[in-house]
Amino acid sequence: DNKTRLYGDANPALTYTVTGYFGSDNGSVVTGTPTLATAANLTSNVGNEPITAAANNLSATNYNFTYANGSMAITPASLSVTG
């Protein structure tokens, strides 16, 4: 899932969504979790950093998994000017 945070803030928890179920299938047919990672850190510059999704121990009878990366949007922090 895509995420957004301010420059200097900690990364939010990385999450994922599984889509493409057939018929009445839903998340109950999936076991395990993917590996989610980003290189974004407290001092990453404003912009977008990829969030990678990869196989870990995901399993679902009748399904193969494909992975699409997400994005961590890092937005500018506010500065105050006092006169």
Side-chain angles (χ1 to χ4, degrees), residues 38-64:
T38 184
N41 60 47
L42 292 175
T43 59
S44 294
N45 289 328
V46 168
N48 293 310
E49 290 282 344
I51 299 172
T52 58
N56 183 8
N57 60 356
L58 279 178
S59 177
T61 302
N62 301 322
Y63 293 95
N64 289 317

Side-chain angles (χ1 to χ4, degrees), residues 4-83:
T4 300
R5 70 164 177 84
L6 291 173
Y7 171 79
D9 283 356
N11 289 336
L14 301 180
T15 58
Y16 66 96
T17 302
V18 178
T19 60
Y21 299 108
F22 182 75
S24 62
D25 286 349
N26 57 40
S28 67
V29 302
V30 177
T31 60
T33 57
T35 299
L36 304 171
T38 184
N41 60 47
L42 292 175
T43 59
S44 294
N45 289 328
V46 168
N48 293 310
E49 290 282 344
I51 299 172
T52 58
N56 183 8
N57 60 356
L58 279 178
S59 177
T61 302
N62 301 322
Y63 293 95
N64 289 317
F65 293 93
T66 57
Y67 297 88
N69 291 339
S71 181
M72 175 78 67
I74 302 168
T75 59
S78 296
L79 294 176
S80 296
V81 177
T82 304

